[in-house]
Amino acid sequence: MASVFRDVDDVIERFDEHDHLLDEGTAAAFYLATALGRPLLLEGEPGVGKTTAAKTLAAVLDSPLVRLQCYEGLTAAESLYDWNYQRQLLAIRLAEARGADIDEADLYSETYLVDRPILRCVRHRGPTAPVLLIDEIDRADDEFEALLLEFLGEAAVTVPELGTFVAAVPPVVVLTSNRSRDLHDALRRRCLYHWIDYPQPARAAAIVRRTVPGARTALIEHATQFVGVARTLDLDKPPGLAETIDWVAALVALGVADLTDEALASTGLAALAKTPDDRNLIEEALATQGGTHR
């Protein structure tokens, strides 16, 4: 299939128009996913922008975004398809009231089929293919991965009572994983793969500058540098790019111009530290790091 992008640079430029600074590696992954019509598995630490990148892809393509948030215990009835049991029961009662017979085939027809996110994408008939975001696939059970294999490999979903539905225009599929557990080889083989790393301080600063336009240059540069240092600490939850943006936004709201004011800067740590121990470690590092910017 032909890609919706001219080349990798076109991906970067079009994401840039939506205020999303994409690195070349991730741009190449999106280009290949759309050019080859293959699902794309994005892995990386929490907060590096995997979900945001997928959501921006939908905006860039002007396509509907269908998001499936994964969690432990996720089933086919919540992700692929289900049956409208209330309508089926009503049909049975109406048939009984009329003295008519009703067959099982009458009950298990498309009239009573409920499209969940995956089947909804397969049966989509709009002018543009939807973007399906299967978010945090590593949070789901191993068994859920097996439910995805047919869809990921063939853009199809089989409903035993009705047959196999195949997408007329395959959706653009992006899976994300924080690698809290290993995914099975069968799933990985059906996807293109890309690891998103923490951005370097200069690129992180450019992203924050776009996202928090009210922040001063010195604050952005020093904050992104400090977050890089914080990730080297023995933290329970190392801060990602999302936390960096939240922290800088919090500092701007507090009227902090730079990290030299440790007292004010510490009051914004609610956006950066996610556990009491992390807060103590980050606060100590901030007191040391802040002095270097005077």
Side-chain angles (χ1 to χ4, degrees):
M1 63 178 289
S3 176
V4 293
F5 299 105
R6 295 191 306 273
D7 49 31
V8 174
D9 288 339
D10 185 44
V11 179
I12 294 174
E13 291 171 8
R14 291 172 65 178
F15 268 71
D16 184 66
E17 291 171 359
H18 286 77
D19 281 332
H20 189 107
L21 296 179
L22 208 59
D23 64 274
E24 188 172 0
T26 307
F30 279 133
Y31 175 76
L32 291 174
T34 54
L36 302 177
R38 295 280 302 280
L40 173 63
L41 172 60
L42 295 178
E43 278 195 327
E45 298 295 336
V48 295
K50 303 182 294 296
T51 299
T52 302
K55 292 165 66 176
T56 304
L57 175 65
V60 167
L61 300 180
D62 194 24
S63 297
L65 173 69
V66 178
R67 181 173 179 173
L68 175 61
Q69 179 64 52
C70 297
Y71 55 87
E72 186 176 354
L74 183 63
T75 65
E78 297 153 321
S79 57
L80 275 71
Y81 67 89
D82 200 2
W83 296 100
N84 191 327
Y85 297 110
Q86 290 181 332
R87 288 192 63 192
Q88 288 173 322
L89 182 58
L90 179 59
I92 293 172
R93 289 177 175 172
L94 287 174
E96 290 174 346
R98 295 168 182 163
D101 293 329
I102 185 167
D103 295 329
E104 184 177 346
D106 296 325
L107 293 174
Y108 288 95
S109 64
E110 288 195 48
T111 302
Y112 304 102
L113 185 65
V114 179
D115 292 356
R116 296 308 187 195
I118 294 177
L119 184 57
R120 185 159 74 244
C121 288
V122 168
R123 302 218 296 170
H124 179 78
R125 293 296 182 268
T128 58
V131 173
L132 173 61
L133 168 59
I134 303 177
D135 210 13
E136 297 183 311
I137 178 66
D138 54 318
R139 289 184 177 273
D141 301 319
D142 292 356
E143 293 77 7
F144 177 70
E145 291 184 43
L147 296 176
L148 294 178
L149 298 182
E150 178 188 24
F151 169 69
L152 294 177
E154 304 168 31
V157 172
T158 295
V159 180
E161 297 84 353
L162 297 176
T164 300
F165 294 91
V166 181
V169 180
V172 180
V173 183
V174 180
L175 303 89
T176 72
S177 168
N178 295 327
R179 209 170 185 182
S180 61
R181 68 171 178 86
D182 288 335
L183 302 177
H184 286 274
D185 290 343
L187 183 141
R188 290 182 177 276
R189 283 198 302 269
R190 286 164 171 80
C191 301
L192 300 178
Y193 176 82
H194 181 64
W195 173 268
I196 299 183
D197 208 344
Y198 291 121
Q200 294 298 315
R203 183 168 168 271
I207 294 170
V208 173
R209 190 172 294 110
R210 286 283 190 93
T211 313
V212 192
R216 296 187 178 181
T217 300
L219 174 63
I220 293 173
E221 292 179 352
H222 294 158
T224 50
Q225 290 170 6
F226 173 75
V227 170
V229 171
R231 292 192 191 112
T232 65
L233 305 175
D234 187 22
L235 300 178
D236 296 323
K237 305 291 183 184
L241 182 59
E243 287 76 23
T244 307
I245 291 170
D246 288 344
W247 186 40
V248 173
L251 295 179
V252 171
L254 291 166
V256 177
D258 203 349
L259 298 188
T260 52
D261 190 341
E262 295 95 349
L264 275 177
S266 293
T267 61
L269 288 182
L272 196 62
K274 302 302 180 181
T275 69
D277 290 342
D278 284 0
R279 181 184 174 88
N280 292 336
L281 287 172
I282 292 175
E283 203 162 26
E284 292 172 5
L286 184 62
T288 302
Q289 191 78 4
T292 65
H293 298 311
R294 287 191 175 90

